Amino acid sequence: MALSRLQKLWRLVFPSRPKKRTRDKGGESSLIISSNARDAIVQVPASAHDLQGVQEAPKPSDPPVATVQAGPRKPSIIESLPAELLFEIVGYLQPVVPSPGGDAAWKRPHSFSNWWSYKVPSAANQLPPREVQEQYLPRDLLALRIVSKKFYGVCLSFLYSDMNLVKLLSEIREEDHPIATKHGKHVRTLRIIVDHTTESLEEKPARQQLILDILKLCPNASTIAFYYGAYLEAQPDELAKQIFDAVDWTNIRSIGVYSLAALGYSWRSTSPSGSLAMLNELINPDRALSKQIKVLDVVMEFISMEVYNTIRSQFTSLSALTIRRSLRFPNCKIWDFGQQHIWRPNTNLTCLQLIDCLNVYSGHIPDLVRLFTSLRTLMISACGDYGDTPPLPRTKGWSKNDDALWRQRLPLDQLYIEHMADWEIVAMGEIPTRTLVAAGLAPKQLLEAFRTDPEIFPCMTTLRMEAAPPELQEGTLSLNPNQDGASMLTDASVIEAVCAERGVTVATDAHWLVFNQRQIIATQ
C-alpha cells in the first residue's frame, strides 16, 4: 500500500527511526512511529475511515499490558524545532488548491469545497469517503493536529488558510460564517462568488452583506478570487467599491476576477457587469494597487481597452499574469506597431499565461519573450484568430545569427503550447526553451512544424507531448479522413527520430489543460 504524504514526511525527517507495523480491526496496516517511551504515539491512518489519531488504550479483551508510571511528556524532536522550520515542514502536508497564477484559470471552483462543510456522521475527525475530492482534502493535517497542543496550533494555520465561498447563501451562512468568525485570522485565500445565478433578487442583498462581513473577518488574507455568474448586476460599481473598502489590502498580493461562463467555455460577447466594475476598481489610481499586486488573473469574455492598457503599462510588479479570452479587440494584435509602446518592461514577470485570446498572434509571442527578460514559464493555449496568416519564413541558419533570441536572453524553463496550427508552432519557434510541452495537438501538426523549420525552439533538451488517445491507437478515429490511427502513431515515431538528431529527449507524459485532442477532432 502506498505511503501517505505524512508517512513520507516522517521517514524523511527520521530516516533511521525504528518503525513497526500493526494491524487494525479492518485488517489494514498502519504505521506507528515513536520517538521514545514517553512520547505520544503518532498513528497515521491507512484510510480515511481509520482516522484515530493517538493510539487508544487496550480493550478489556486484549492481553494485559504492563504500564509504567511516567512523568510529564517530553516534546518530540520535531516539536523542538524552531517555529519557522516546523511551519515549513508541516506546510508540505497542505493540499495544493487551484489559485491565481496557476490553474485557477481553467479549473472551476465548484469542483472542491471546504473540508468542514462535510457532515461528519460519527467521530469528530472522520473525513468523507476517499473518492470524494481526494486531492483537496487535508487528511494528513487533520491526523497530525491531534498529536499534541503544539501541532494543533501549527495545523490550525494551514487547515483554515483556504476558504471557498462559491456556494449558496444558506450554506455560507450556516457553514462558513461561523468558521470565519472563529478562525478568520488564519485565512490566507478567499474564493467568493459575488452573484449567484440561482438566487432570487431578495437574497442578493443578504449575500452581499454576508460577503462584506466575512471579508472584514479575514484581515490576513493574501489571495482573493472573485467569481461572477449573473451578467446584469444591480449597481455593480457601488458593490465593487464596497467590496474593495471591506478588504484589508495590507497583505493582498494575488487577485483574480473570473466569469463563470468563461470558465465553462461560453461564447458570450460581453462580460458580467460586476466583473467589469471590479477591474475598474482595481485599476483605480486612488487605490494605488498597481505596484502591490504580484499575481493577477483575468478570466472574462471581454475587458475594456482602458483596463488592458493599464495592466500592461502600470502593473509592472507582477510576477504572474494570466489572461483568458479577454483580449478580443478588432484590428489590435498584441504587438502591432501601434501597441508596442504601451507595453512596459517588467523584470519581475516570471510566468505568463495567455488562453483563448484573439489578439494574441503567434508571430508576436517572441517579441513578448524578448521584452520580459525574467520570464521562465510561458503558456499559449488556443490563441489567435481564424484570419491570422503565417509570418514570413525565417532564413535557413537563423538560429546561428548574432541577433537570435537565444543569444539575447536565457531560455525559458518551460514553454507550454496547446491547440495550435503547425504554422503557429513554427512562428513561435524563435523562442528558446529548455522544455517544450505540446498538448491538445495532433502529432502531424508538431511533425510538420519540425519539418518546416528543424531549428525551432533553440536550447530545447526535452519535448513532452501527449500519448495518442485510445481511439487513435486502435485506428478507429483520425483527425484526417485520409489518415488512419496507425499513420498518426507513425508521426509520433518520426518526431522522436527528428528530436534524437538534436539530442532532445522525448516523453509522452504531457496532458492537456484547457483544450484536448478530442475537442480538436470534433471541430474538424
Side-chain angles (χ1 to χ4, degrees):
M1 183 185 67
L3 294 177
S4 71
R5 294 165 62 195
L6 181 57
Q7 292 170 338
K8 293 178 180 178
L9 175 63
W10 277 100
R11 287 197 172 185
L12 178 65
V13 177
F14 302 114
S16 61
R17 188 161 302 284
K19 307 174 185 67
K20 179 178 65 176
R21 290 197 175 273
T22 62
R23 288 281 173 181
D24 56 23
K25 292 184 178 180
E28 295 192 23
S29 61
S30 301
L31 182 64
I32 305 295
I33 309 174
S34 177
S35 56
N36 56 54
R38 290 181 296 178
D39 280 349
I41 300 178
V42 181
Q43 178 176 337
V44 181
S47 68
H49 304 287
D50 299 327
L51 188 57
Q52 299 294 335
V54 181
Q55 184 174 346
E56 298 179 356
K59 302 295 186 297
S61 58
D62 295 336
V65 179
T67 59
V68 178
Q69 189 70 25
R73 174 183 174 273
K74 288 176 55 180
S76 61
I77 298 177
I78 192 170
E79 288 179 279
S80 303
L81 294 174
E84 296 81 2
L85 181 57
L86 183 59
F87 269 84
E88 184 175 352
I89 293 174
V90 176
Y92 281 103
L93 303 179
Q94 188 175 21
V96 178
V97 181
S99 60
D103 51 359
W106 56 86
K107 287 191 175 181
R108 293 174 65 85
H110 300 85
S111 61
F112 56 93
S113 185
N114 304 315
W115 62 268
W116 58 80
S117 297
Y118 295 100
K119 303 300 184 292
V120 181
S122 55
N125 292 292
Q126 187 174 346
L127 292 176
R130 185 174 292 272
E131 64 271 11
V132 179
Q133 301 181 350
E134 171 70 24
Q135 68 272 34
Y136 300 129
L137 290 174
R139 300 177 183 276
D140 295 328
L141 287 173
L142 288 170
L144 184 62
R145 71 170 180 170
I146 56 179
V147 171
S148 67
K149 289 184 178 180
K150 185 168 185 177
F151 274 126
Y152 181 85
V154 171
C155 290
L156 277 184
S157 300
F158 297 100
L159 284 170
Y160 296 103
S161 65
D162 190 281
M163 180 172 286
N164 192 359
L165 304 179
V166 184
K167 54 181 66 175
L168 295 174
L169 169 64
S170 58
E171 296 173 330
I172 297 176
R173 181 185 291 120
E174 297 172 4
E175 300 170 357
D176 303 310
H177 187 264
I179 294 294
T181 302
K182 185 176 181 180
H183 300 290
K185 64 180 181 180
H186 298 301
V187 175
R188 297 295 183 269
T189 301
L190 277 166
R191 292 176 199 81
I192 302 171
I193 182 168
V194 181
D195 52 354
H196 205 292
T197 55
T198 62
E199 291 176 343
S200 64
L201 292 176
E202 293 76 15
E203 291 178 309
K204 288 184 180 297
R207 163 181 283 275
Q208 295 167 2
Q209 185 57 51
L210 191 59
I211 289 173
L212 295 176
D213 293 342
I214 292 178
L215 286 173
K216 295 175 182 178
L217 292 171
C218 304
N220 298 317
S222 59
T223 300
I224 300 183
F226 297 102
Y227 295 86
Y228 290 83
Y231 276 75
L232 295 176
E233 182 68 26
Q235 299 180 330
D237 296 333
E238 180 62 27
L239 177 59
K241 183 179 184 302
Q242 292 176 359
I243 290 176
F244 267 69
D245 290 341
V247 173
D248 186 340
W249 291 95
T250 305
N251 300 309
I252 299 296
R253 295 296 180 269
S254 303
I255 186 171
V257 182
Y258 308 86
S259 163
L260 290 174
L263 281 173
Y265 309 102
S266 171
W267 303 108
R268 291 177 178 264
S269 58
T270 184
S271 299
S273 57
S275 62
L276 292 171
M278 186 65 68
L279 283 182
N280 289 333
E281 198 66 32
L282 177 66
I283 67 171
N284 186 342
D286 295 336
R287 299 287 181 183
L289 296 174
S290 60
K291 304 303 180 185
Q292 176 178 329
I293 300 300
K294 305 300 181 184
V295 177
L296 175 61
D297 276 14
V298 179
V299 179
M300 294 161 53
E301 291 84 349
F302 184 79
I303 60 175
S304 67
M305 182 61 75
E306 180 185 4
V307 170
Y308 180 35
N309 289 342
T310 303
I311 290 176
R312 53 183 174 163
S313 64
Q314 298 183 25
F315 282 70
T316 54
S317 295
L318 292 175
S319 61
L321 172 62
T322 300
I323 301 179
R324 177 172 178 178
R325 197 170 172 76
S326 307
L327 306 183
R328 314 184 76 78
F329 305 103
N331 304 317
C332 183
K333 302 297 183 186
I334 199 169
W335 199 256
D336 281 345
F337 180 76
Q339 300 295 317
Q340 297 176 12
H341 70 282
I342 305 177
W343 290 94
R344 291 290 184 270
N346 180 0
T347 57
N348 300 299
L349 191 67
T350 59
C351 177
L352 177 62
Q353 300 182 135
L354 301 174
I355 305 169
D356 193 20
C357 294
L358 290 182
N359 298 133
V360 178
Y361 175 56
S362 58
H364 290 169
I365 302 303
D367 295 299
L368 286 182
V369 175
R370 182 178 287 105
L371 177 68
F372 301 126
T373 56
S374 299
L375 196 64
R376 292 292 174 263
T377 302
L378 175 63
M379 174 183 181
I380 306 293
S381 174
C383 288
D385 197 353
Y386 287 108
D388 290 346
T389 57
L392 294 175
R394 293 180 288 268
T395 59
K396 186 177 181 180
W398 62 267
S399 62
K400 298 179 182 179
N401 296 338
D402 294 337
D403 60 350
L405 185 55
W406 71 272
R407 295 182 182 273
Q408 299 176 7
R409 57 152 295 152
L410 292 173
L412 302 177
D413 292 334
Q414 176 175 289
L415 170 60
Y416 181 96
I417 58 176
E418 183 178 83
H419 204 329
M420 303 183 71
D422 51 353
W423 72 262
E424 292 177 310
I425 300 174
V426 174
M428 295 178 56
E430 188 181 351
I431 299 174
T433 181
R434 292 188 175 91
T435 299
L436 174 66
V437 182
L441 302 172
K444 188 173 184 62
Q445 293 173 308
L446 197 58
L447 177 58
E448 287 299 325
F450 278 103
R451 282 176 172 170
T452 302
D453 188 349
E455 302 176 58
I456 56 176
F457 304 116
C459 309
M460 181 173 61
T461 59
T462 303
L463 169 63
R464 297 175 55 200
M465 59 183 187
E466 282 187 291
E471 297 94 329
L472 299 181
Q473 295 177 1
E474 297 167 3
T476 60
L477 186 62
S478 174
L479 295 177
N480 189 317
N482 300 320
Q483 185 182 27
D484 58 19
S487 62
M488 295 199 68
L489 294 177
T490 302
D491 289 342
S493 300
V494 175
I495 291 175
E496 295 182 7
V498 171
C499 290
E501 295 179 359
R502 291 179 51 176
V504 175
T505 302
V506 178
T508 56
D509 60 346
H511 189 272
W512 64 274
L513 299 178
V514 186
F515 299 98
N516 60 22
Q517 289 180 335
R518 291 175 178 82
Q519 289 171 313
I520 301 173
I521 293 170
T523 59
Q524 297 300 307

